[in-house]
Amino acid sequence: MQSPGRPPAPILSHPEGELLRDGEPHRILAGSLHYFRVHPEQWQDRLAKLAALGLNTVDTYVPWNFHQPRRTAPRFDGPRDLERFLGLAQDTGLDVIVRPGPYICAEWDNGGLPSWLTGLPGMRPRTSHPAFLDEVARWFDVLVPKLAAAQAAYDGPVVAVQVENEYGSYGDDAAYLEWLRDALVARGISELLCTADGPTELMQDGGSLPGVLATATFGSRAGQAARLLRERRADEPFVCAEFWNGWFDHWGDPHHVRSAGSARDALGEILDEDGSVSLYMAHGGTNFGLWAGANHDGTRFQPTVTSYDSDAPIPEHGVPGAKFFALRERLRETRARDAGAAAGPERDRPLPPPAALLAPRTLRVRPGAGLLDGLLAMSTAVRSPYPLSFEELGQPSGLVLYRAWPRVPNGSHEVTVTGLHDRAQVFADGVLVGVLDQETGSFAVEGTGARVRLELLVENQGRINYGPLLGQGKGILDGVRIERRLVHGWEMRELPLDEWSPDDVRLAPSTAAPAGGAGFATASLTLSEPADTFLALPGFGKGFAWVNGTLLGRYWEIGPQVTLYVPAPLLTSGANTVTVLELERLGDRIELRDRPELGPPEEFVETFD
């Protein structure tokens, strides 16, 4: 923490409603780029492309759970090296807006909150509940000094820090927002503070703070948003903290896109209102591992796909398309107008060359350990009279194999699972008898009067990241019963797939014999030179894919996503291994393709009605 004294003046200010940078008129032209969704060896390339788009600022969230997935010391190494990312942004000539949460949404697992935190008994996240504030304070004690040291006041790139994120869409605990503001300031933040909320009275009422710049998030109707903010805050500039020029996807739903012309025109409306803007996303990246979040529309659970391409102007693999050039042209026009005729023509920053791509090829699949036997070999047992949730087990993500041995009378009997989150494959004496994907579901078991080995392989498909169900538990939250009788005497097998080491991934396929068409499989790839590629699994059903021990994420035949992006830094010259854990049925080949396939497109523009 800084020593007491007068804090430095922020480099961004807005006297009389005009945005200034170091005393000069300024327009923020920003783009969202999440360091945690990009391989760290590609940070520099993506930042350079953001600058080449014509932007002067990058904004990023900080996901608490990415740095502290378990209740141990937070990590800031490798892909979590936030300070290195900030330094690269500065080297690229970009200002930085940091959005440290503690809640970020971002279609990220649990909205960025650690599952160990939201799983604490009685926890009330995103409120002034003392137990929540105590944990946030411990996190901020570690995080915020790193941000403070990187502020413009100390010759760093950070020019603004956001207080929470779209809080007005969730609650109205003003004391909580005030506590967060004060916590940031007390730990050394002296640059501009802002809030970000939807462009409605309801959302701005709940999420804004006196004396803190209020901004809006939207994808259309910039004029309405500008009027609302100016009516409420006449002494503040109009800032769109998130301009949704694309959108994310859920498994089983269409692939959302927004045409280049539509995005360009809507961006132009913001700029014509003399607004500052941040493109959400400028570069979407990838939900590597099991970090993809989920939503709930009030009727159904909606897990988010592995790709976070978001139809951004800089696509997942970094090769610009039509939207990039359309937005760059519009941004260039605005920069020229702001600079005035005397400044001469506006010039674009150079665009780095596209990354090399592997030539398409097909890899032969070698079946490995069968599903249940392989998972049993990769886990140890935890026993309890009742099924334990992921939170009770202390497991953030992945799979849990629940096992019990109830006696089942003669005949067919209904078995009911209550409080299932999110999906379970059900086996009786090793035979698949059903798949459940609702909170309450039933299946039939044939009994003979003997004990049945009942196994439920439960998948956490991503924690809800938005709305009142934030922090909802995973696994079997209530119980399992045969007719009216509860089943007791459970064994849980923890399978945190995203925490497996490369050695674990290498071992898993050899732990048991192949069986039943599901389970582990591998494929080999020999390269003279690594390059980007896209992995497709035709004939496979649902599962997880690793490259050289790094978990790319989930795949699922229901789409829309078909290919998984494989960044070149995950590959090596010489021998490479693709490992798959297939939950349903193995295909006979893996294909490497030379372009992304994210599903049939559907035009989508988010509006507030």
Side-chain angles (χ1 to χ4, degrees), residues 484-503:
R484 68 183 65 192
R485 190 189 80 205
L486 282 168
V487 176
H488 289 107
W490 288 90
E491 174 186 288
M492 277 66 58
R493 297 292 188 123
E494 298 178 65
L495 296 154
L497 306 180
D498 54 333
E499 295 180 352
W500 284 1
S501 69
D503 286 341

Side-chain angles (χ1 to χ4, degrees), residues 64-80:
W64 183 358
N65 56 3
F66 186 62
H67 292 273
Q68 195 179 19
R70 293 185 182 258
R71 206 172 185 180
T72 55
R75 293 177 55 189
F76 290 89
D77 58 328
R80 298 169 175 83

Side-chain angles (χ1 to χ4, degrees), residues 44-57:
Q44 191 165 27
D45 173 82
R46 301 304 194 261
L47 287 164
K49 286 170 178 171
L50 190 145
L53 180 56
L55 303 177
N56 56 32
T57 306

Side-chain angles (χ1 to χ4, degrees), residues 68 208 240 261 279 352 380 415 542 576:
Q68 195 179 19
S208 59
C240 174
L279 307 179
T380 56
V415 181
K542 186 182 199 302
N576 297 268

Side-chain angles (χ1 to χ4, degrees), residues 363-449:
L363 310 179
R364 183 175 64 85
V365 169
R366 297 185 299 274
L371 181 62
L372 293 180
D373 288 344
L375 295 179
L376 287 169
M378 292 298 296
S379 59
T380 56
V382 176
R383 293 180 174 83
S384 168
Y386 46 84
L388 299 175
S389 68
F390 277 63
E391 291 73 24
E392 289 169 319
L393 292 167
Q395 180 179 328
S397 53
L399 305 168
V400 171
L401 179 59
Y402 292 83
R403 309 178 85 205
W405 291 261
R407 192 179 300 278
V408 182
N410 281 313
S412 179
H413 296 271
E414 184 178 62
V415 181
T416 302
V417 182
T418 306
L420 172 66
H421 296 266
D422 300 307
R423 184 178 190 268
Q425 292 167 265
V426 183
F427 302 85
D429 290 331
V431 177
L432 181 68
V433 295
V435 177
L436 306 178
D437 58 6
Q438 301 293 326
E439 293 188 18
T440 299
S442 299
F443 56 93
V445 169
E446 293 292 328
T448 64

Side-chain angles (χ1 to χ4, degrees), residues 145-505:
K146 298 178 185 294
L147 304 180
Q151 293 178 111
Y154 307 105
D155 298 321
V158 175
V159 299
V161 177
Q162 183 175 294
V163 180
E164 238 269 4
N165 186 62
E166 295 184 321
Y167 186 67
S169 301
Y170 181 83
D172 61 3
D173 188 344
Y176 166 57
L177 293 181
E178 291 166 0
W179 184 93
L180 285 175
R181 175 200 60 203
D182 295 345
L184 292 168
V185 172
R187 290 163 177 79
I189 297 301
S190 58
E191 299 296 343
L192 180 71
L193 294 176
C194 59
T195 58
D197 290 283
T200 71
E201 293 280 359
L202 180 77
M203 295 175 183
Q204 290 290 328
D205 284 346
S208 59
L209 271 173
V212 175
L213 176 67
T215 73
T217 61
F218 56 86
S220 60
R221 303 174 184 172
Q224 291 182 22
R227 285 192 296 275
L228 174 70
L229 290 180
R230 285 168 174 152
E231 288 168 2
R232 297 171 63 93
R233 301 285 185 100
D235 59 342
E236 294 181 0
F238 171 46
V239 179
C240 174
E242 292 183 12
F243 164 53
W244 302 325
N245 66 94
W247 203 248
F248 59 92
D249 296 337
H250 293 128
W251 289 113
D253 288 348
H255 169 46
H256 296 117
V257 300
R258 184 170 189 176
S259 71
S262 170
R264 182 188 189 281
D265 291 348
L267 173 63
E269 291 175 19
I270 298 169
L271 301 175
D272 289 343
E273 288 282 352
D274 289 327
S276 289
V277 64
S278 181
L279 307 179
Y280 194 94
M281 297 293 295
H283 172 57
T286 309
N287 294 312
F288 292 114
L290 301 178
W291 288 113
N295 289 287
H296 200 292
D297 66 2
T299 301
R300 64 191 179 104
F301 177 73
Q302 301 169 292
T304 301
V305 303
T306 298
S307 171
Y308 200 65
D309 179 85
S310 301
D311 196 37
I314 305 169
E316 185 174 19
H317 60 302
V319 179
K323 184 177 289 186
F324 178 96
F325 295 103
L327 297 185
R328 183 169 73 166
E329 178 185 20
R330 187 62 182 83
L331 290 165
R332 185 192 309 122
E333 293 170 0
T334 295
R335 296 198 320 274
R337 185 181 67 194
D338 290 349
E346 273 293 313
R347 300 184 185 278
D348 296 320
R349 296 269 303 264
L351 181 62
L357 291 170
L358 292 183
R361 65 199 70 193
T362 297
L363 310 179
R364 183 175 64 85
V365 169
R366 297 185 299 274
L371 181 62
L372 293 180
D373 288 344
L375 295 179
L376 287 169
M378 292 298 296
S379 59
T380 56
V382 176
R383 293 180 174 83
S384 168
Y386 46 84
L388 299 175
S389 68
F390 277 63
E391 291 73 24
E392 289 169 319
L393 292 167
Q395 180 179 328
S397 53
L399 305 168
V400 171
L401 179 59
Y402 292 83
R403 309 178 85 205
W405 291 261
R407 192 179 300 278
V408 182
N410 281 313
S412 179
H413 296 271
E414 184 178 62
V415 181
T416 302
V417 182
T418 306
L420 172 66
H421 296 266
D422 300 307
R423 184 178 190 268
Q425 292 167 265
V426 183
F427 302 85
D429 290 331
V431 177
L432 181 68
V433 295
V435 177
L436 306 178
D437 58 6
Q438 301 293 326
E439 293 188 18
T440 299
S442 299
F443 56 93
V445 169
E446 293 292 328
T448 64
R451 293 191 179 275
V452 171
R453 187 176 80 249
L454 185 63
E455 293 168 303
L456 292 90
L457 181 59
V458 177
E459 179 188 358
N460 169 359
Q461 293 186 301
R463 296 177 184 275
I464 290 172
N465 54 255
Y466 180 85
L469 298 180
L470 180 73
Q472 192 176 62
K474 295 296 183 181
I476 299 176
L477 305 189
D478 292 318
V480 179
R481 68 179 191 271
I482 301 173
E483 305 295 353
R484 68 183 65 192
R485 190 189 80 205
L486 282 168
V487 176
H488 289 107
W490 288 90
E491 174 186 288
M492 277 66 58
R493 297 292 188 123
E494 298 178 65
L495 296 154
L497 306 180
D498 54 333
E499 295 180 352
W500 284 1
S501 69
D503 286 341
D504 292 330
V505 177

